[in-house]
Amino acid sequence: MKRVRMMSRRGFLVAGLAATGMVASSGLAGCGFKPQKGVGSNSASGNADPELKMITFALDWTPNTNHTGLYVARERGYYREAGLDVEIVQAPENGADALVASGDAQFGVSFQDSMAGYVSGDAQLPVSAVAAIIQHNTSGIISLADRGITSPAKMMDHTYATWEMLIEQGIIKRCVEADGGVYDRVKLIPSTVTDEVSALSSGEVDSIWIFWGWAGEKCKLAGLDTSYFSFESVDKVFDYYTPVIIANNMLIKDDPKTVQAFMDATRRGYEDCIQDPDAAAEILLKAAPELERELVVASQHYLAEQYRADAPVWGLLDQKRWDAFYAWVSEQGFAPTIAAGAGMTDAFITA
């Protein structure tokens, strides 16, 4: 069995942020890299159908339940019915954004917060979000219950694993202060946690930023007694879109029919995940058998309620929510002023 690099969902975000310059000390990464074949890529055999249009989709990192709808759409022939041959590849460490911008991939996975570094100013990339994979922000802070971190202010005098990103630390600061705390009393420990269970159990850090659908479910399965609060529960401005499907702007402009065909088929895949998470989990495990079955099933059931959530259909992007977060980002000085609707389009997902 092919071995692939595994990283926490936290690590996926770090990769994307590093690529777009949202690390305090780094700039925009270049595009001189090649994508890696994804597990179960349907073009890996070299038997491409010449009557189908080839599409490359770049994951943010290794396959996980954020991506299941893509694998379902491919496994069940939805892409083929749409006239597409979709190859799913793993992006390099600095994410999918530059691959999509360069045209080496037509679509990929990114995050609204990491996109802030390139939707305005001098570092703009020709990339736009075309669909929300998960309707609401399911990330927040997890800690062991005995640390007593039941709200943001209680992060004071405890360690927090920071990956030293401007927006990341800005969100933590806003949450702590909104809860009446003093941000400077949070003990920042530079660390990219790849195993939340071990990090919390060993006392390596007291609190970690996680995406509940993967790391939270993993901690539950490990039997950890934890406390958790989500960012959007503290301030609705943090109910931004993470993760999203991005597309190359030239493709959007010159070939909207292909974008629509891809998105219609992808939407069918995610709707199947919502309706039957167990079957969806099996399809993901078939594509990526190195994943832990129990975690995939648990995560798939959690996300079945989150992919669409309260939206009328999967994938909708609310420009008001999108703009509200970017207004906050600009107000904090983390990026130049971002124009309304910059970096997104709602043209391909309609209720």
Side-chain angles (χ1 to χ4, degrees):
M1 178 175 65
K2 179 182 177 182
R3 293 179 63 84
V4 298
R5 296 168 298 174
M6 298 304 297
M7 183 179 281
S8 70
R9 201 64 52 82
R10 177 187 182 84
F12 303 153
L13 182 58
V14 172
L17 288 171
T20 57
M22 297 310 294
V23 184
S25 60
S26 69
L28 182 67
C31 300
F33 47 75
K34 295 296 183 183
Q36 300 177 14
K37 295 288 186 181
V39 178
S41 173
N42 69 332
S43 294
S45 65
N47 296 322
D49 187 333
E51 296 184 359
L52 301 177
K53 180 170 291 188
M54 288 296 302
I55 294 293
T56 298
F57 188 100
L59 303 179
D60 42 333
W61 201 258
T62 50
N64 61 79
T65 47
N66 277 353
H67 313 135
T68 309
L70 300 159
Y71 289 102
V72 171
R74 193 187 65 188
E75 175 72 16
R76 294 183 171 172
Y78 300 157
Y79 290 133
R80 185 169 292 272
E81 290 175 19
L84 306 174
D85 185 357
V86 176
E87 180 183 21
I88 301 172
V89 302
Q90 292 173 207
E93 291 188 10
N94 45 358
D97 305 76
L99 276 180
V100 176
S102 69
D104 288 334
Q106 288 73 47
F107 300 92
V109 177
S110 189
F111 310 84
Q112 188 184 354
D113 46 357
S114 62
M115 291 176 69
Y118 66 72
V119 297
S120 67
D122 296 331
Q124 291 187 49
L125 294 181
V127 168
S128 294
V130 292
I133 293 178
I134 299 173
Q135 185 57 217
H136 294 286
N137 184 354
T138 59
S139 67
I141 297 296
I142 195 168
S143 60
L144 292 181
D146 63 11
R147 299 296 194 270
I149 307 174
T150 54
S151 70
K154 294 184 178 180
M155 293 177 70
M156 292 189 302
D157 305 321
H158 289 91
T159 57
Y160 163 70
T162 177
W163 59 101
E164 300 183 287
M165 305 292 177
L166 297 176
I167 291 180
E168 169 232 355
Q169 292 185 353
I171 290 173
I172 298 298
K173 182 175 187 291
R174 166 60 183 155
C175 289
V176 170
E177 292 178 349
D179 194 38
V182 178
Y183 175 69
D184 287 345
R185 286 177 56 184
V186 179
K187 299 177 182 179
L188 304 179
I189 306 295
S191 175
T192 301
V193 174
T194 58
D195 185 342
E196 294 82 4
V197 172
S198 295
L200 292 175
S201 299
S202 67
E204 177 185 337
V205 290
D206 295 324
S207 58
I208 306 171
W209 179 323
I210 66 163
F211 287 79
W212 186 269
W214 194 258
E217 293 297 324
K218 182 178 180 181
C219 289
K220 281 177 60 178
L221 290 172
L224 297 188
D225 184 12
T226 62
S227 295
Y228 174 80
F229 63 84
S230 66
F231 296 119
E232 64 88 19
S233 68
V234 178
D235 191 329
K236 288 298 182 184
V237 77
F238 298 139
D239 190 18
Y240 55 87
Y241 289 99
T242 175
V244 294
I245 292 177
I246 55 174
N248 180 279
N249 284 350
M250 191 66 71
L251 181 70
I252 292 172
K253 178 182 177 182
D254 293 345
D255 195 358
K257 289 184 178 180
T258 292
V259 179
Q260 190 66 67
F262 176 82
M263 291 314 308
D264 288 346
T266 301
R267 177 168 150 180
R268 290 178 66 187
Y270 278 98
E271 287 172 345
D272 285 1
C273 294
I274 293 167
Q275 293 299 318
D276 192 346
D278 288 311
E282 291 303 319
I283 289 173
L284 177 60
L285 287 163
K286 178 182 177 181
E290 72 280 1
L291 297 177
E292 181 185 344
R293 172 176 294 275
E294 190 177 17
L295 176 55
V296 168
V297 172
S299 177
Q300 206 65 67
H301 276 267
Y302 171 80
L303 287 179
E305 302 294 328
Q306 302 299 324
Y307 288 129
R308 186 175 66 224
D310 54 357
V313 296
W314 173 86
L316 282 181
L317 291 167
D318 180 348
Q319 188 184 326
K320 289 183 179 179
R321 274 172 55 199
W322 184 273
D323 290 345
F325 177 67
Y326 277 165
W328 178 83
V329 168
S330 295
E331 288 167 3
Q332 303 307 305
F334 299 144
T337 299
I338 300 173
M344 61 86 70
T345 174
D346 58 5
F348 301 102
I349 300 289
T350 56

